[in-house]
Amino acid sequence: MDQKGYRRGSFQSATSDEDMLEIAGASMDFSVADDDPPLDREMGGFSSYNGGGMNGTSTMMDFLEEPLPGVGTYEDFNTIDWVREKSRDRDRHREITNRSKESTWALLHSVSDAFSGWLLMLLIGLLAGSLAGLIDISAHWMTDLKEGVCLAGFWFNHEHCCWKSNTTFTDRDKCPEWKSWSQLILGHGEGAFAYILNYFMYVIWALMFSLLAVLLVKGFAPYACGSGIPEIKTILSGFIIRGYLGKWTLVIKTITLVLAVSSGLSLGKEGPLVHVACCCGNILCHLFTKYRKNEAKRREVLSAAAAAGVSVAFGAPIGGVLFSLEEVSYYFPLKTLWRSFFAALVAAFTLRSINPFGNSRLVLFYVEFHMPWHLLELVPFILLGIFGGLWGAFFIRSNIAWCRRRKTTLLGKYPVLEVFVVTAITAILAFPNEYTRMSTSELISELFNDCGILDSSQLCEYVNDFNSTKGDDLPDRAAGPGVYTAMWQLALALIMKVFITIFTFGMKVPSGLFIPSMAVGAIAGRLLGVAVEQLAFYHHDWAIFSGWCSQGADCITPGLYAMVGAAACLGGVTRMTVSLVVIMFELTGGLEYIVPLMAAAMTSKWVADAIGREGIYDAHIRLNGYPFLEAKEEFSHKTRAMDVMRPRKNDPPLTVITQDTMTVEDVETIVTSTTYSGYPVVVSRASQRLVGFVLRRDLIISIENARKKQDGIVSTSVICFTDYCPPLPPSSPSVLKLRSILDLSPFTVTDETPMEIVVDIFRKLGLRQCLVTHNGKLLGIITKKDVLKHIAQMANQDPDSILFN
């Protein structure tokens, strides 16, 4: 945290915490540790301070009878005090309740205060659903723009352009209204030159989209890059990153997300949609005082907004609530669960009303399988789970290694060049292969699809030697040439997706990981599904198939294998379980396939956890050094509070402020010579008896305002943190009384408290710091950063990596 804004005598904070929206893309420079324990630096002069002349009376004013703007708020890149925020909200609610009995107006105010949370959820759902619909429609149109344009109206995508065409069902993608670039420029679409022209236009459009995206991100909102979920997890745990959920970030992320998805890069829009929804939630919080002025309440809203984001990303409102609960939220009370459910419902309803895909569904790949699965199919499903776990662990390690290289080498200084090169490679490799040329969502939709009579896809080119069918249920058939061609094309697509996604995720464009991970799993699943299908067709007399898969029966559904594979790979990367299964069956409508999905999701998690405990989001949190205490991990080391607290042996003594013997100048000297976020207040230096804890920001604002607005406050004025200050001579300057900014109940532990308990306290109460005492005397302080460093040290990791890089 940069403390350059503080100068002796003029303590101006760099930003106001109320203006969380305004600063987009501030540089995350944590070279100075804002949460380190206060140690004495150049404090020798205070040891002899005797507070001379304390025998008379003096003018004394409580300067903070009315709260000052900024007092009780937080600096950028600081952790909020959950206990204080919840206490303030309880006091506010108690006051409103008591006043509601006094008048009708107060009663109406109480009702509106209670209703404001639900109104806020309604607004978040409406805004998130509308933006998601806009993004879906725009991305679909711009993706098709790389291949051609609609003459009936350039704003139509390929599918919408051909809706009114009189072409047959099999030629529905070749309607005369839609022209490829070669047909538009050359007048024909056949031949080598037409292919090369289409190839060239595809690459050019992809480069234009991606370059525009990275330039907008770099120029206007650097926080709009990436997935956003690691940072949102950190923010929901109590950390403040100003501008990350601001209006500029929202605008730029919405625009660049469309551009990045349309460019054909191996990324998805689902993770960034969570970021977009949280931006909506943060901005709308400013319409309501109780959420604008309380950081803990605001984080409850952001948890609900994250649920709405997943709801519109996957068309899965219940899965969105479970995702917020399982994956991103740090504090999730029952009230937040209900409101998350309501926000997700409104968002899904809004998206359904917009109908962006024209299929009356919330998602592009809704499927309906008709055949039940057999118990023996659990074996290939578990194999897919193992593949998903291995892929997840491989991807996390490779991507983190590449992102670390990006951070520590010259590569990180040229984000535009990196995006240009990766887009060029992706587009050049993607165009020749039909399955990489199409958008990833369309690819997943095709892989999930169960072949019907009217399907003209290569994946459905089976040898049709049957005489009759029962509806859409076709018997297992021998694979035709088209299926074999599709298999090797899918195998090449799998290899490309596996490797190109490693380099794409983490670039300076909005990039989600859900869709690329699902695509890898869906391809692997479809390949395995077709293999099992052909095995059952040619060897139906084998013992494993006899009894349930006779000749001419429809036994194997390759699309189901693709769905299970997609769930397995997504679970291996993110380590989601419950929310993943619910999202998948909401996504596909495959309610009867919960058991295969559960088996694959659990297997992938077990396999991936055996190789590495962290999911991709936790790994990126650790890579960036964010102060996030993972609630899922247990601390099992036998250390005590005295082993972690500061100061240690041979360190300077703890920097403290006395309750009624230090002057304004003394306190200003402490503030300007140290960079700590708060200071313990004691009765005297000799006794070290603890009185409370005062935050640096509150001290700075209070002293600055007192100098401007209170008569008689000078450098020699005594600062008093008690109700009754010692008498001073009549000639003494006015006393500055700051008891109202003093936290009289700071959390304390004894020096013998096991660190296992201390870590648990920090996790469950969301503490910023904890004071350590011995027989009632102040010994030291433990901050959140000390806890994180200690955990890293115990895990044989570099403790200096916890620097919020």
Side-chain angles (χ1 to χ4, degrees), residues 439-454:
S439 73
T440 314
S441 295
E442 290 175 354
L443 170 63
I444 294 172
S445 177
E446 183 144 333
L447 293 170
F448 281 7
N449 185 41
D450 187 21
C451 289
I453 300 172
L454 298 175

Side-chain angles (χ1 to χ4, degrees), residues 330 629-636 747 749 753-767 787 791:
Y330 194 84
L629 267 174
E630 179 56 69
K632 300 170 190 172
E633 295 179 5
E634 293 185 5
F635 184 85
S636 57
F747 207 93
V749 295
T753 306
M755 273 307 293
E756 186 177 3
I757 294 176
V758 175
V759 171
D760 223 25
I761 290 169
F762 269 87
R763 280 176 179 158
K764 292 180 178 177
L765 292 182
L767 298 182
V787 173
I791 291 173

Side-chain angles (χ1 to χ4, degrees), residues 400-459:
I400 291 298
W402 178 252
C403 289
R404 185 176 287 114
R405 184 176 182 83
R406 182 188 289 129
K407 277 179 174 290
T408 56
T409 62
L410 286 174
L411 182 65
K413 296 182 179 179
Y414 302 100
V416 178
L417 180 62
E418 182 189 10
V419 170
F420 180 86
V421 171
V422 172
T423 306
I425 293 172
T426 305
I428 290 168
L429 293 178
F431 187 83
N433 190 335
E434 178 188 348
Y435 295 105
T436 50
R437 188 191 317 163
M438 65 175 67
S439 73
T440 314
S441 295
E442 290 175 354
L443 170 63
I444 294 172
S445 177
E446 183 144 333
L447 293 170
F448 281 7
N449 185 41
D450 187 21
C451 289
I453 300 172
L454 298 175
D455 281 309
S456 57
S457 165
Q458 271 192 323
L459 280 169

Side-chain angles (χ1 to χ4, degrees), residues 433 435-436 447 459 483-499 520 523-524 526-527:
N433 190 335
Y435 295 105
T436 50
L447 293 170
L459 280 169
V483 174
Y484 289 113
T485 303
M487 288 301 101
W488 71 258
Q489 286 182 335
L490 282 175
L492 291 176
L494 177 64
I495 295 169
M496 177 189 164
K497 292 280 185 187
V498 162
F499 290 102
V520 168
I523 294 171
R526 188 77 186 206
L527 291 172

Side-chain angles (χ1 to χ4, degrees), residues 194-460:
Y195 179 83
I196 292 170
L197 181 61
N198 285 331
Y199 200 152
F200 176 76
M201 292 300 293
Y202 181 91
V203 174
I204 291 297
W205 278 111
L207 290 174
M208 280 176 56
F209 291 154
S210 63
L211 283 177
L212 185 55
V214 71
L215 290 172
L216 284 171
V217 167
K218 185 181 179 184
F220 294 97
Y223 284 157
C225 68
S227 164
I229 292 179
E231 287 76 12
I232 286 167
K233 283 188 73 168
T234 309
I235 289 170
L236 289 179
S237 75
F239 197 53
I240 289 177
I241 308 177
R242 282 210 191 83
Y244 199 83
L245 302 176
K247 54 181 177 289
W248 266 113
T249 305
L250 173 62
V251 171
I252 297 301
K253 186 124 191 175
T254 303
I255 296 170
T256 54
L257 179 55
V258 173
L259 292 166
V261 171
S262 305
S263 67
L265 286 167
S266 184
L267 47 82
K269 61 181 184 298
E270 283 64 26
L273 272 174
V274 176
H275 188 183
V276 167
C278 286
C279 287
C280 296
N282 184 61
I283 292 168
L284 291 170
C285 274
H286 283 249
L287 300 176
F288 302 89
T289 307
K290 78 172 180 179
Y291 295 107
R292 183 176 71 246
K293 292 188 175 181
N294 192 294
E295 292 290 346
K297 295 293 289 180
R298 190 185 300 191
R299 275 151 182 75
E300 291 179 26
V301 173
L302 296 180
S303 292
V310 174
S311 173
V312 293
F314 288 110
I318 300 173
V321 175
L322 291 174
F323 173 83
S324 181
L325 173 62
E326 180 182 0
E327 189 63 26
V328 297
S329 292
Y330 194 84
Y331 174 68
F332 204 84
L334 193 59
K335 186 193 298 182
T336 304
L337 178 70
W338 301 332
R339 289 181 175 172
S340 299
F341 186 78
F342 180 63
L345 165 70
V346 174
F349 175 78
T350 305
L351 186 63
R352 171 65 181 80
S353 303
I354 296 172
N355 194 17
F357 302 110
N359 59 358
S360 298
R361 305 288 186 187
L362 289 174
V363 288
L364 187 60
F365 28 91
Y366 190 92
V367 297
E368 291 178 342
F369 301 134
H370 303 289
M371 295 305 299
W373 59 278
H374 194 270
L375 190 63
L376 288 174
E377 288 185 279
L378 277 177
V379 175
F381 294 154
I382 289 172
L383 287 176
L384 286 172
I386 294 171
F387 171 78
L390 293 173
W391 144 251
F394 166 74
F395 174 81
I396 291 168
R397 290 199 174 187
S398 305
N399 180 253
I400 291 298
W402 178 252
C403 289
R404 185 176 287 114
R405 184 176 182 83
R406 182 188 289 129
K407 277 179 174 290
T408 56
T409 62
L410 286 174
L411 182 65
K413 296 182 179 179
Y414 302 100
V416 178
L417 180 62
E418 182 189 10
V419 170
F420 180 86
V421 171
V422 172
T423 306
I425 293 172
T426 305
I428 290 168
L429 293 178
F431 187 83
N433 190 335
E434 178 188 348
Y435 295 105
T436 50
R437 188 191 317 163
M438 65 175 67
S439 73
T440 314
S441 295
E442 290 175 354
L443 170 63
I444 294 172
S445 177
E446 183 144 333
L447 293 170
F448 281 7
N449 185 41
D450 187 21
C451 289
I453 300 172
L454 298 175
D455 281 309
S456 57
S457 165
Q458 271 192 323
L459 280 169
C460 296

Side-chain angles (χ1 to χ4, degrees), residues 510-621:
S511 53
L513 194 58
F514 283 43
I515 289 295
S517 301
M518 288 175 66
V520 168
I523 294 171
R526 188 77 186 206
L527 291 172
L528 181 62
V530 172
V532 173
E533 181 189 46
Q534 295 304 300
L535 194 67
F537 176 78
Y538 286 110
H539 303 283
H540 54 83
D541 52 344
W542 284 8
I544 57 172
F545 296 119
S546 62
W548 66 280
C549 192
S550 58
Q551 187 173 13
D554 183 12
C555 315
I556 309 297
T557 307
L560 171 60
Y561 285 70
M563 189 171 88
V564 172
C569 282
L570 186 53
V573 171
T574 62
R575 310 298 162 86
M576 296 189 301
T577 51
V578 180
S579 57
L580 171 64
V581 172
V582 175
I583 285 171
M584 287 304 297
F585 84 68
E586 283 190 278
L587 189 67
T588 58
L591 190 59
E592 60 186 295
Y593 302 111
I594 286 182
V595 173
L597 290 171
M598 290 174 69
M602 281 310 304
T603 306
S604 70
K605 179 172 170 57
W606 285 336
V607 171
D609 280 349
I611 300 171
R613 297 287 297 176
E614 291 179 321
I616 186 66
Y617 301 129
D618 295 327
H620 272 271
I621 285 172

